[in-house]
Amino acid sequence: MKTITSALVAAALALPSFGFASTAFVPPAPEIAGKAYYLIDYNSQQVLAARDPDSRIEPASLTKLMTAYLTFKALKEKRLTLEQTLTVSQRGWKTEGSRMFLDPKVPAKVEDLIKGMIVQSGNDACVTLAEAIAGSEDVFAQVMTQQAQKLGMKNTQFKNATGLPHEGHYTTVHDLGILAASLIRDFPEYYPIYSMKSFTYNNIQQPNRNLLLYRDPNVDGMKTGYTDTAGYNMVTSSHRDGRRVISVVVGTASPEARAVESSKLLNYGLQFFDTPKLYAANARVSDVSVYKGDAKVVPVGFASDVYATVAKGQAAKLKADMTTTQPLIAPIKAGQVVGKLVVSLDGKPLLERPVVALKAVDEGNFFSRLWDSLKLLLGWK
């Protein structure tokens, strides 16, 4: 392995331009009146506060974040279209709990079903979409669980598309944080639906149950949930000054409580932390020597932007160490992982990201490969 010095991060940061506050004081996370909570910075993926993040909880209608994810995925893959109409089954029509009041005699547009699912939390919309995508809600639930595993939600299992109580239907606040961030990242074109304050269908207007949409101009989503056994749950996203934080609060006592407790977490994350961009996606950070290739070096960097979340005033203390695989032997594909970056603060690792080749390097000719083989054998550089 070859280590590239931490001076690289100083150049990338352009520290004087940030104008951070001089203080680095970060108080403890606020007391949250709920069963569990989780607060994450969207850009850096760093956890800012948590309590019982991996304890199993009943998600209630937060389940619909995954129902929406798979619906958006079906749209992206052109298995559904927004203008397409779907027949409402008897099962969908009769699903209990919150609903958008579908009529089994009137086909519903996919676009309306999505808004009914997100804004009105319609269980009838969820079942209708699930049946259209997977043939049945039971099969759809299996696909939901498979997708959860792909996203890294290791402690989640779905049994339905709605979040109605069901044995074996569970998740964690950690996993819900992963899901919320994935939904925003993978389907930004549909995320604005989560900021809609009301939706009217079948001449029935229903308000969005996310009270923070009406109170905080920085909040632009995401989803509420409630059952007698789960209590009042909410996943919320807030953005300010180029930053976005996502909170998950579950098991509160009332709709007001879940809004107040979520607001505490969001404001804590936005007030006491900063998230500078350290490196831009696909930007050359360094050149690394290549053996047996048609080029002697390959530019390396990162497949996505690299951010770090730190207490205000602490960015100047960030240090980075980048190690690359040695010897690096062609052929090398563009995007191939060739090392890792570790960013630390006060000697403690803060985040780790893979370093990738920004260009492909093919094998060199016979003579160059032979010469590099000799160099490697003799330990020459």
Side-chain angles (χ1 to χ4, degrees):
M1 301 294 284
K2 179 181 178 182
T3 301
I4 299 175
T5 68
S6 60
L8 285 169
V9 76
L13 277 170
L15 294 174
S17 67
F18 280 107
F20 290 131
S22 59
T23 179
F25 172 71
V26 176
E31 289 293 324
I32 301 299
K35 181 179 180 181
Y37 66 81
Y38 193 72
L39 178 67
I40 187 172
D41 185 284
Y42 171 75
N43 283 329
S44 70
Q45 305 171 45
Q46 289 170 235
V47 180
L48 307 183
R51 186 175 73 216
D52 295 329
D54 297 314
S55 296
R56 285 187 181 181
I57 56 101
E58 183 184 338
S61 283
L62 302 185
T63 297
K64 290 163 184 160
L65 291 172
M66 180 58 82
T67 305
Y69 189 98
L70 290 179
T71 299
F72 299 152
K73 187 170 184 283
L75 287 168
K76 185 174 184 178
E77 296 171 352
K78 302 191 184 307
R79 292 182 286 117
L80 285 180
T81 67
L82 290 174
E83 296 300 317
Q84 183 177 347
T85 58
L86 303 180
T87 300
V88 182
S89 68
Q90 287 293 309
R91 175 171 176 169
W93 179 53
K94 293 182 177 180
T95 301
E96 62 186 52
S98 56
R99 60 187 66 194
M100 63 180 291
F101 298 103
L102 294 171
D103 185 339
K105 299 177 183 178
V106 181
K109 285 175 57 176
V110 168
E111 183 176 7
D112 288 337
L113 290 167
I114 291 172
K115 293 175 181 177
M117 168 180 60
I118 292 174
V119 182
Q120 300 174 333
S121 201
N123 291 339
D124 47 359
C126 292
V127 174
T128 301
L129 288 166
E131 290 175 343
I133 293 169
S136 72
E137 186 181 9
D138 292 338
V139 174
F140 186 79
Q142 296 174 36
V143 178
M144 293 171 75
T145 301
Q146 291 174 356
Q147 184 63 53
Q149 294 297 313
K150 291 178 182 178
L151 294 177
M153 301 167 63
K154 299 179 180 180
N155 297 303
T156 294
Q157 180 173 268
F158 294 110
K159 292 296 185 179
N160 59 54
T162 62
L164 289 169
H166 194 297
E167 184 178 356
H169 187 90
Y170 60 83
T171 187
T172 68
V173 292
H174 177 192
D175 282 2
L176 287 170
I178 292 173
L179 176 55
S182 298
L183 194 153
I184 297 171
R185 179 193 66 233
D186 296 344
F187 305 105
E189 65 271 37
Y190 299 115
Y191 179 65
I193 299 172
Y194 286 93
S195 66
M196 290 180 61
K197 294 178 181 178
S198 68
F199 178 60
T200 300
Y201 185 83
N202 203 9
N203 295 318
I204 301 171
Q205 184 181 48
Q206 296 187 65
N208 195 313
R209 296 173 176 84
N210 182 351
L211 297 180
L212 294 183
L213 287 176
Y214 310 93
R215 301 175 181 179
D216 186 340
N218 297 313
V219 170
D220 57 5
M222 294 188 61
K223 190 72 188 73
T224 62
Y226 167 77
T227 65
D228 289 340
T229 49
Y232 291 87
N233 302 343
M234 189 154 76
V235 173
T236 318
S237 181
S238 182
H239 66 98
R240 184 194 303 167
D241 298 330
R243 291 187 61 218
R244 180 178 293 281
V245 294
I246 297 170
S247 68
V248 184
V249 176
V250 301
T252 66
S254 68
E256 178 66 20
R258 71 185 172 195
V260 170
E261 302 309 302
S262 296
S263 184
K264 288 181 186 178
L265 273 182
L266 295 169
N267 288 330
Y268 172 75
L270 291 169
Q271 182 176 356
F272 293 103
F273 299 90
D274 275 309
T275 304
K277 181 192 288 188
L278 308 187
Y279 301 99
N282 301 312
R284 173 187 166 278
V285 173
S286 182
D287 291 323
V288 177
S289 297
V290 177
Y291 295 90
K292 302 184 182 182
D294 62 357
K296 294 302 181 184
V297 296
V298 61
V300 299
F302 304 94
S304 57
D305 294 338
V306 179
Y307 294 84
T309 300
V310 292
K312 286 185 181 293
Q314 292 290 287
K317 298 171 66 176
L318 286 172
K319 292 186 178 181
D321 288 298
M322 190 170 75
T323 56
T324 57
T325 303
Q326 292 294 322
L328 194 56
I329 299 175
I332 300 166
K333 296 179 180 179
Q336 179 179 326
V337 175
V338 295
K340 69 177 181 179
L341 172 81
V342 177
V343 178
S344 59
L345 181 67
D346 295 331
K348 298 179 181 179
L350 194 62
L351 61 89
E352 182 178 308
R353 295 290 182 269
V355 176
V356 301
L358 298 180
K359 291 183 179 179
V361 178
D362 294 327
E363 279 190 335
N365 60 39
F366 172 78
F367 294 104
S368 67
R369 297 199 311 272
L370 181 64
W371 176 245
D372 282 351
S373 295
L374 180 62
K375 288 168 64 178
L376 289 170
L377 180 66
L378 298 176
W380 296 349
K381 292 185 179 180

